Amino acid sequence: MSSLPSALPFDIEVIERELARLWQSAAMPDRRHELALSRTSVLTLFVYAPDTSRAETARDLISRLSMHHPSRVVLLVATRQERLDEPQVSIQCNLGIAERYAPCYEQITITLPSDGLELLPSLLIPLALPDLPAFLWWLGPLPCHDRRFVAVARTVDRLIFDSLESHHPIADIIATRRLVQQVTRSTAVSDLNWGRLGPWLETTARMFEIPHCRWALEAITRVDLRYGYLPQHSTPNPTQALLYLGWMASRLGWRLASLELLDNGLHLDLTASGNRRLRWTIAPEPSEELFHGQLLRIRFAAEHNAETASFSIDLSGRGRATLRLRVHDRNHCVLEHAFHHHLLDLQRLLLNELQEVAPDWLYEHALDEATGLAVEYRKLERLKEHERDDLPPRNPPR
Amino acid sequence: MTTATLQNPLREGLRFERLPDPCIMVIFGASGDLTRRKLIPALYNLAYDGLLPPGFSIVGYARRSLTDDEFRQEMRAAVERFSRRQPIDPDVWDTFAQGLFYFTADFTDGSAYPKLGEVLERIDRERATAGNRIFYLATPPDAYETITQFLGESNLAQPSRSGSWVRLIVEKPFGHDLESAITLNNHLLRYFREEQLYRIDHYLGKETVQNILALRFANGIFEPIWNRNYIDHVQITVAETIGIEGRGGYYDRAGALRDMVQNHLLQLLSVIAMEPPIAFEADPVRDEKVKALRALRPIRPEDVHELTVRGQYGPGFIGGRPVSGYREEPRVAPNSLTETYVALKLFIDNWRWADVPFYLRTGKRLPRRVTEIAIQFKRVPHPLFKGMATAGVDPNWLVIRIQPDEGVSLNIAAKLPGPRIRLRTVTMGFLYGTSFLVQSPDAYERLLLDCMLGDSTLFTRRDETEAAWVPITQILRGWAESPPPEFPNYDAGTWGPPEAEQFIARDGRRWRRP
């Protein structure tokens, strides 16, 4: 049994008192700018940073978010130091947004021990503004295997994390699904990595709405999906790719028939309605760090009687800032469509999540399917590990 | 290729569920200002955000001879100048521009329309636009009848295949009085069905106007007091600092009453005054708006003087800079009697609003650009706090600000801290733009997208435009029978003619300082 973390060296009520004092002193209109400070709250945002460098990243983002977003932000910074800092309380007001008002937000910064997971509910509950949704944005890998984390997640209306941060992507997909089920009555769970898939899902859906292409949805034979992989990273992160496949499978009723691990990626055979078979290839491809774990390209091939067509969706353009759809018939490109995707804009991704309170059933269904794939993947991995243990390797291990 | 109508299970549950069908938008008046400043930038912005369907195409129709490439270059320059998305994304632009085409012809040349039809058929084949069309009349209003007649006679006004649709967007003004509005509507309906018509009033595309409906009908606390028992009066102000911005030719024939009140101000009035619709859908919402407009008390010519004030600006200063008077503006008659300011008092004769005055005012060259609806509640029935305690305390105001600083504020009386009872008015406000986390889309973006989606909630229906012309025509008649006004009667940079202050003061009220 682990020892209890040390208690925090302050009283939570002091924070509220200090905030009240700050608002009182700020209540006079700003004479220099002839502005009234405006206190509007739409939510409480808790941000958990596992270290000071991530806390700095979060601070920067919070400050930009606050330009359009008056609320209470509580930054929880984990530290390994024994001596914890006093909490900091401030009111930040933004000039220049509105003509007569300066919208403000409250920021509270609390340091806590890095092993202080069970302390968190006792901070989150009293610091959440009443009657407004509370969000917890968890930076760094989600401790989804830690049983104590369930109690943390249950204290907020929405938990936001990023599976791109995961060190063990396949195991974490399974654990995340378990967490989603455990907190389903109280908390919606959002994965920013799923949010990044939004434009891909949208483009895929609209591809099959082009009148020339509707037939192809029932006639897909092959899908080739590539995602980014920074070779210096320890492992590829196929979470986004598996969630994408999970989404299609859940929407179209595809079932996994077989899965094969390749040296570089995997083959999946799926059955669709009418016992039709289709093959997916999912493979990592070297990329810049920004695109590690992110989809780079999907190619669909469809065939029905004498008809054939192929479709591709690619990140393209300068800085891969555009998502481009191309539709080909047997001979040539018949249609192109492109739009700006905002995939790399963390602020925008986060804003999207902060607008949602209800659970995202589409994500949950995709996660269910991805979990099924992850379980099969793990079985094969273990099998391979056993084979390696039983037989002397023919080649030196990679 | 095989085509079939299948349900797309991939669409369900996506956050951007509103995706229009592929279509072609034909813009009549493609070389005009509206196309350059508003339409093409708005369409590019929609493309940038991924809200346009693949294959979406635009055909610019105008007299000036241009090639497709020249049109694309001109439109690119327009987007570079007027789009809110800067800089232009070359990838997005390239695919957007692939769908830009130009058709050189005169609106009055009937033989051009069958050729236009052939162009549209070709684009359908090449870009899978499935026979779906939007015709946008971005032309002077005197071309509306000719264009729609030729569209109808060339079989372009109705879908050419099953499952496809044809829509027509008409820009204001919808006529210049009730009679001409009825004539125009009758003409349009000879070739199009009402559900194909999208009469655009960009005010309705503004987020805050839609937010009025949310404020009224999604909050239980307002509706019970939203009536004559609790509301003393309503003020609707649309003030502009700009002059007529080179539109002298049009404006001198229209004036503020036709240009602003008939559409924008009466639209605002109708969303404030309407009864709760049974659903937030096009017809239920518009049914209730029409009922409110139809309940406007008729204005007899002899009452027009009592119920209206008109003004015209002379030279003055705006933001510390001298500006010329209206009569010195280009293409304005030097002895023009056109009003650039108007204030009105209207009544809605129904159970909810009987005897509650609605004061409307709008003007050009006023000191601030502001659009707001201010609702003043009645004073408390018994003054509990007397004398000095209540000095400086106004009755409650609920103010819905549309621009700038979109939001809602409520003035309430509160006690000053201390042993004595002294009350002060305090404002509780929320700023729409800073409380929610996204930038509001431009009104044209919203409305163009709605039209592509076939959602006409924010467009005006025939009966709505005609109902709005009724009081306007009554006022115009009254003015025509009155002696000519002594114009100019207010300096640019002031809140309008002094008569406007006396006009409301006669009722024991005053204009808010917005």
Side-chain angles (χ1 to χ4, degrees):
Chain A
M1 199 168 162
S2 62
S3 60
L4 284 174
S6 45
L8 298 179
F10 60 88
D11 182 350
I12 288 284
E13 286 176 15
V14 172
I15 292 175
E16 293 289 1
R17 280 203 295 273
E18 184 58 16
L19 273 172
R21 192 190 63 75
L22 284 175
W23 277 112
Q24 207 169 9
S25 65
M28 293 297 288
D30 182 325
R31 292 188 193 289
R32 193 163 41 104
H33 297 93
E34 294 184 342
L35 285 170
L37 302 182
S38 147
R39 184 184 191 182
T40 311
S41 298
V42 292
L43 53 88
T44 306
L45 174 62
F46 296 101
V47 182
Y48 178 88
D51 51 53
T52 47
S53 91
R54 280 205 172 83
E56 281 313 306
T57 310
R59 263 198 197 96
D60 179 47
L61 191 61
I62 290 164
S63 136
R64 282 186 281 134
L65 276 178
S66 69
M67 296 294 283
H68 298 283
H69 168 37
S71 64
R72 170 175 289 187
V73 180
V74 182
L75 178 59
L76 303 150
V77 187
T79 175
R80 293 188 186 284
Q81 292 172 0
E82 275 193 22
R83 193 183 145 80
L84 301 174
D85 294 336
E86 286 290 314
Q88 292 170 4
V89 179
S90 63
I91 296 172
Q92 314 282 337
C93 297
N94 293 300
L95 309 178
I97 290 180
E99 216 171 81
R100 292 178 177 184
Y101 300 98
C104 304
Y105 73 104
E106 301 168 344
Q107 185 173 324
I108 302 161
T109 305
I110 296 171
T111 52
L112 69 165
S114 55
D115 62 347
L117 211 53
E118 59 262 77
L119 294 178
L120 280 174
S122 68
L123 291 172
L124 303 190
I125 293 167
L127 287 176
L129 290 168
D131 300 327
L132 292 172
F135 293 76
L136 170 58
W137 175 29
W138 193 273
L139 282 91
L142 191 71
C144 48
H145 301 271
D146 191 324
R147 287 182 182 185
R148 297 174 300 170
F149 188 67
V150 175
V152 177
R154 282 186 178 142
T155 59
V156 291
D157 297 287
R158 195 169 194 97
L159 166 69
I160 303 166
F161 75 105
D162 191 348
S163 59
L164 267 191
E165 300 254 24
S166 170
H167 297 316
H168 308 285
I170 297 294
D172 283 358
I173 289 174
I174 300 165
T176 303
R177 191 225 191 186
R178 193 167 50 237
L179 175 70
V180 170
Q181 289 174 330
Q182 284 169 320
V183 301
T184 189
R185 285 172 187 276
S186 57
T187 309
V189 178
S190 292
D191 182 354
L192 293 175
N193 208 17
W194 168 255
R196 288 184 194 95
L197 272 177
W200 291 92
L201 309 186
E202 182 61 33
T203 308
T204 309
R206 69 177 54 170
M207 180 166 80
F208 293 107
E209 276 167 3
I210 299 169
H212 291 5
C213 308
R214 282 180 191 157
W215 65 274
L217 185 60
E218 301 294 323
I220 296 168
T221 50
R222 292 188 63 85
V223 184
D224 184 32
L225 185 152
R226 303 289 150 149
Y227 63 93
Y229 168 47
L230 182 70
Q232 292 91 319
H233 256 261
S234 55
T235 50
N237 187 332
T239 309
Q240 211 179 88
L242 293 179
L243 285 171
Y244 179 86
L245 168 54
W247 168 68
M248 285 206 84
S250 69
R251 301 309 309 142
L252 299 172
W254 294 342
R255 292 282 164 265
L256 181 66
S258 68
L259 188 150
E260 181 190 352
L261 293 188
L262 308 173
D263 286 347
N264 184 29
L266 59 157
H267 274 326
L268 301 105
D269 286 319
L270 296 115
T271 8
S273 59
N275 218 19
R276 196 166 46 81
R277 300 282 276 211
L278 61 150
R279 165 157 283 204
W280 279 64
T281 305
I282 296 179
E285 183 175 292
S287 72
E288 311 90 295
E289 185 167 15
L290 268 178
F291 295 96
H292 179 77
Q294 310 242 31
L295 301 197
L296 300 177
R297 183 169 65 249
I298 311 172
R299 303 226 183 293
F300 289 86
E303 205 172 322
H304 179 65
N305 297 333
E307 303 270 15
T308 61
S310 65
F311 314 92
S312 62
I313 309 173
D314 294 82
L315 288 184
S316 68
R318 196 186 307 151
R320 301 197 200 218
T322 310
L323 208 58
R324 181 184 286 265
L325 163 67
R326 287 191 182 91
V327 179
H328 296 76
D329 64 10
R330 197 182 291 273
N331 299 315
H332 60 287
C333 177
V334 292
L335 198 64
E336 273 191 275
H337 178 71
F339 64 92
H340 194 82
H341 57 58
H342 306 293
L343 291 172
L344 305 175
D345 184 345
L346 183 59
Q347 182 182 337
R348 198 180 174 106
L349 281 172
L350 197 58
L351 288 180
N352 284 342
E353 296 308 327
L354 295 179
Q355 288 173 47
E356 304 290 333
V357 181
D360 181 351
W361 60 266
L362 206 61
Y363 164 65
E364 292 181 7
H365 290 186
L367 182 64
D368 283 348
E369 294 292 333
T371 303
L373 301 172
V375 168
E376 293 303 315
Y377 189 105
R378 287 248 293 189
K379 277 185 200 161
L380 285 180
E381 264 191 335
R382 286 196 180 132
L383 206 62
K384 275 200 165 180
E385 281 163 17
H386 284 304
E387 283 170 6
R388 272 203 298 271
D389 291 344
D390 292 346
L391 299 167
R394 286 180 195 163
N395 300 313
R398 277 189 299 275
Chain B
M1 282 201 171
T2 314
T3 52
T5 307
L6 300 172
Q7 289 298 316
N8 181 359
L10 298 180
R11 166 63 46 205
E12 198 185 350
L14 289 182
R15 286 187 184 173
F16 310 106
E17 273 180 283
R18 286 159 53 97
L19 185 76
D21 297 330
C23 61
I24 307 173
M25 181 178 285
V26 181
I27 303 176
F28 290 96
S31 54
D33 239 24
L34 181 67
T35 306
R36 224 161 40 88
R37 284 173 177 267
K38 293 285 181 191
L39 302 183
I40 297 292
L43 290 166
Y44 168 78
N45 293 342
L46 291 172
Y48 182 93
D49 288 333
L51 296 171
L52 291 185
F56 174 77
S57 304
I58 299 167
V59 177
Y61 186 125
R63 205 173 10 223
R64 195 153 59 97
S65 176
L66 286 179
T67 63
D68 287 346
D69 278 340
E70 286 167 339
F71 181 58
R72 287 170 187 153
Q73 280 167 23
E74 285 196 5
M75 293 305 107
R76 180 173 177 129
V79 170
E80 277 168 352
R81 183 150 174 225
F82 297 113
S83 163
R84 65 187 172 89
R85 298 287 192 195
Q86 297 294 345
I88 282 197
D89 182 313
D91 247 33
V92 174
W93 174 260
D94 284 349
T95 53
F96 180 72
Q98 284 172 21
L100 279 177
F101 304 93
Y102 190 79
F103 186 80
T104 307
D106 198 302
F107 307 136
T108 57
D109 176 7
S111 68
Y113 290 78
K115 290 178 197 151
L116 172 67
E118 288 165 20
V119 170
L120 300 181
E121 290 285 339
R122 177 176 56 80
I123 296 172
D124 278 342
R125 284 191 302 276
E126 290 173 0
R127 298 181 56 78
T129 37
N132 298 321
R133 322 254 188 266
I134 294 172
F135 295 108
Y136 198 119
L137 302 184
T139 62
D142 50 17
Y144 290 176
E145 296 199 4
T146 310
I147 294 170
T148 48
Q149 179 187 336
F150 285 132
L151 286 173
E153 289 173 357
S154 311
N155 296 322
L156 292 172
Q158 297 303 324
S160 57
R161 55 181 95 170
S162 93
S164 63
W165 45 259
V166 176
R167 295 175 188 141
L168 178 75
I169 302 183
V170 187
E171 272 282 336
K172 68 158 188 148
F174 316 118
H176 53 87
D177 57 16
L178 177 60
E179 196 182 332
S180 60
I182 292 172
T183 306
L184 175 63
N185 280 328
N186 286 341
H187 177 85
L188 296 176
L189 289 166
R190 214 169 289 152
Y191 304 103
F192 293 85
R193 283 171 284 111
E194 177 61 34
E195 59 269 26
Q196 291 179 277
L197 297 177
Y198 289 72
R199 296 175 189 84
I200 202 165
D201 180 341
H202 73 270
Y203 250 59
L204 288 181
K206 289 182 184 291
E207 287 282 322
T208 317
V209 177
Q210 297 155 49
N211 200 31
I212 295 171
L213 298 176
L215 180 84
R216 285 194 58 194
F217 302 125
N219 292 291
I221 58 168
F222 293 119
E223 204 45 31
I225 57 169
W226 206 265
N227 56 49
R228 67 188 306 273
N229 298 326
Y230 296 93
I231 290 178
D232 178 73
H233 74 282
V234 177
Q235 294 185 17
I236 302 178
T237 301
V238 178
E240 297 178 289
T241 53
I242 56 169
I244 51 174
E245 306 290 292
R247 296 193 303 150
Y250 158 73
Y251 196 88
D252 209 35
R253 278 181 282 129
L257 189 69
R258 288 187 179 99
D259 188 50
M260 298 296 285
V261 180
Q262 189 275 337
N263 35 71
H264 304 330
L265 276 91
L266 288 183
Q267 283 294 333
L268 295 180
L269 176 140
S270 63
V271 290
I272 286 295
M274 67 193 270
E275 296 297 315
I278 55 166
F280 189 62
E281 289 165 8
D283 277 331
V285 170
R286 296 189 298 183
D287 287 345
E288 298 307 333
K289 283 166 65 191
V290 173
K291 280 189 210 163
L293 290 172
R294 285 193 178 145
L296 283 169
R297 183 181 297 172
I299 303 168
R300 294 177 303 176
E302 59 268 31
D303 295 335
V304 165
H305 181 68
E306 290 295 308
L307 298 173
T308 69
V309 173
R310 50 186 161 154
Q312 187 190 78
Y313 63 85
F317 293 88
I318 295 281
R321 282 183 308 183
V323 295
S324 53
Y326 176 71
R327 288 176 174 179
E328 288 82 55
E329 299 273 10
R331 289 191 283 163
V332 169
N335 56 352
S336 169
L337 293 177
T338 300
E339 79 286 355
T340 60
Y341 175 97
V342 61
L344 312 174
K345 180 165 69 170
L346 300 175
F347 290 94
I348 297 174
D349 285 338
N350 62 15
W351 277 57
R352 185 187 285 266
W353 296 114
D355 297 328
V356 175
F358 283 73
Y359 296 98
L360 278 56
R361 64 175 163 165
T362 182
K364 294 205 172 286
R365 292 290 189 215
L366 300 184
R368 282 173 62 86
R369 171 180 164 262
V370 63
T371 300
E372 69 167 35
I373 300 162
I375 294 153
Q376 191 181 62
F377 291 88
K378 289 186 172 172
R379 289 184 184 277
V380 290
H382 173 64
L384 191 62
F385 305 103
K386 289 177 183 161
M388 292 304 288
T390 54
V393 175
D394 274 341
N396 303 113
W397 280 103
L398 178 70
V399 180
I400 301 165
R401 182 70 86 93
I402 290 163
Q403 62 186 13
D405 293 358
E406 298 175 68
V408 179
S409 64
L410 178 65
N411 287 4
I412 56 169
K415 180 186 169 297
L416 281 174
R420 288 167 56 203
I421 293 286
R422 285 178 307 160
L423 305 181
R424 286 290 178 275
T425 296
V426 291
T427 299
M428 296 195 303
F430 105 95
L431 288 177
Y432 193 56
T434 58
S435 298
F436 297 104
L437 317 165
V438 284
Q439 198 182 359
S440 294
D442 171 80
Y444 268 99
E445 290 171 36
R446 168 69 198 264
L447 293 171
L448 291 172
L449 190 62
D450 277 2
C451 176
M452 290 182 218
L453 289 160
D455 181 351
S456 54
T457 309
L458 301 178
F459 294 84
T460 44
R461 206 169 54 188
R462 175 194 183 141
D463 48 0
E464 227 176 324
T465 56
E466 291 174 7
W469 270 117
V470 170
I472 301 300
T473 306
Q474 290 164 346
I475 293 168
L476 288 168
R477 280 192 194 131
W479 282 353
E481 291 173 17
S482 313
E486 288 180 20
F487 282 169
N489 61 351
Y490 72 97
D491 294 338
T494 65
W495 279 110
E499 293 89 326
E501 300 296 334
Q502 296 151 16
F503 166 76
I504 194 167
R506 284 203 297 268
D507 297 343
R509 301 184 177 100
R510 60 186 168 80
W511 292 111
R512 265 176 54 80
R513 186 166 54 86

